[in-house]
Amino acid sequence: MADNTSLVGKRITLCATGSVAAYRAADICSKLVQAGVTVLPLMTESATAFLHPRTLATLAGQACYASLSEDDGGSTGIVHITRGQETDIILIAPASANTLANLAHGLCSDIVSATCLAATVPVVVSPAMNTQMWEHPATQANVALLMNRGIKFIPTRHGQLACRAVGDGKIAETEDILSFLNALFVAQQDQPLKGKRVLITAGGTREPIDAVRFIGNASSGKMGAALAQAALDFGASVDVICGPGVVPMPAGINRVDVTTTNDLLDASRPIAKTADLVIMAAAPADYRVANQVAGKHKKSDGPPVLELVENPDVLMQIVASRRPEQLIVGFAAEVGDPAPEAIRKCADKGCDFVVGNNIASEHGAFGSETTQLVLCNAQTVVSRFEPSTKTIAAEQLMQLLVSALLERQMLSV
Ligand code: CTP
């Protein structure tokens, strides 16, 4: 069991909403209580079709409200006001598609969404639903909107769902939910990056072939988004340079959108000058097309012969004009054990660390929710991480980088 000591003494409003995974709220409630948390449960009425409020009330040792009509402003005050203002965070687990839609649009016809509308504390959601519902543009638009407003999402898992289909939308493991909350509290308490500037690059770049086609890769920017959230949680001011088509970025960052590797370099230079920590998680295209076609290449002209020229290595360029007290970190996407190549790239590119991941493994493929990182310097492996969600890996990686950064800055004072 992970060390979740930052949960001790916390007060969490746990909300269960209408999903078959509502039964998991009981396990989450029980594990939170065992971790030393005071859990104040709430449920939507539709969640009560899957789980009795008495279960959460008994496990939490606190009243569980499941309807606004029970919220009579009695001895504990108006529940949908106090729960979102007098606890440390609100956790919605499971969060149904309907609840995400309510939250996105400010609807408050049930006690969970009313509590969120009145909340002043952070809201964390752990969605659970059928794959089609999760991937529907309406749900994804709601997720993007809520992330932009600062609501934190615990990634869903891929697996067999209640409807027996296999896909995304499965609620996170209880252990991952607890680790997520613990990391959030650690970051909130310490804020070790307060006053520091962090630059992150995310996603792939695209090199045009003609007006409609490009050379690109499948990088989703999920790792960059998770790193941005971790840096924000640690109190940093965060700039993220995003390639096209990346996943939504967390609220509170300064976002710059770019298309090509040269654009990425141009956008990185001025920000890197003043950044304390630079993390190049992007997958920039190594080559661009020298003989780009103006307009659209026509099939009748036969297969195009592309003349490729090498792009600048953004990381090496940033390292070339570094300040000594900066920490500069690259990524290496490899097939097989990434450590040897991560060590070599770190030495060749002159950065402080390279984080390797195996894109051929089930944890680490472009676009996947999970990853298994290995942090290397120019000589050796510094740390091998267990497979985990990108969110948790980002928090763990950020903790190591923060220590290295603070040590470096102390030495260079
Ligand atoms: N990188 C960069 N500019 C490039 C290519 C890569 O800044 N033109 C950075 C990436 O952001 C990453 C690191 O270099 O931090 C390693 O990227 P990767 O694609 O793994 O390495 P390459 O140097 O391109 O080597 P190869 O493709 O041969 O593995």
Side-chain angles (χ1 to χ4, degrees), residues 30-62:
S30 164
K31 298 277 169 27
L32 283 172
V33 170
Q34 287 171 42
V37 174
T38 300
V39 178
L40 295 135
L42 296 177
M43 296 174 79
T44 59
E45 242 166 286
S46 45
T48 64
F50 300 99
L51 179 74
H52 200 285
R54 204 176 304 126
T55 307
L56 291 186
T58 307
L59 290 168
Q62 301 282 343

Side-chain angles (χ1 to χ4, degrees), residues 201 261 264 279-287 310-317 329-334 341 344-345 349 354:
T201 65
T261 296
L264 181 68
I279 307 177
M280 299 246 144
D286 286 330
Y287 301 97
E310 196 169 333
N311 271 329
D313 191 295
V314 180
L315 179 54
M316 286 177 83
Q317 297 284 328
V329 182
F331 264 71
E334 306 296 338
E341 273 297 276
R344 180 190 67 77
K345 284 180 184 176
K349 299 192 185 214
V354 166

Side-chain angles (χ1 to χ4, degrees), residues 235-309:
S237 130
V238 184
D239 298 270
V240 187
I241 306 179
C242 299
V246 295
V247 295
M249 290 292 146
I253 59 147
N254 169 43
R255 173 177 176 146
V256 181
D257 288 291
V258 296
T259 305
T260 66
T261 296
N262 268 314
D263 295 342
L264 181 68
L265 177 59
D266 292 344
S268 299
R269 277 192 206 281
I271 302 175
K273 265 194 188 131
T274 58
D276 297 279
L277 172 61
V278 177
I279 307 177
M280 299 246 144
D286 286 330
Y287 301 97
R288 67 181 179 280
V289 180
N291 56 339
Q292 257 183 60
V293 173
K296 189 182 170 204
H297 175 88
K298 301 304 290 180
K299 203 158 44 177
S300 54
D301 294 335
V305 178
L306 302 182
E307 196 189 311
L308 301 180
V309 284

Side-chain angles (χ1 to χ4, degrees), residues 33 38 56 105 110 113 135 181 228 236 316 325 389 400:
V33 170
T38 300
L56 291 186
H105 300 285
D110 62 70
S113 41
E135 289 176 351
L181 298 179
M316 286 177 83
E325 71 277 16
T389 63
L400 293 178

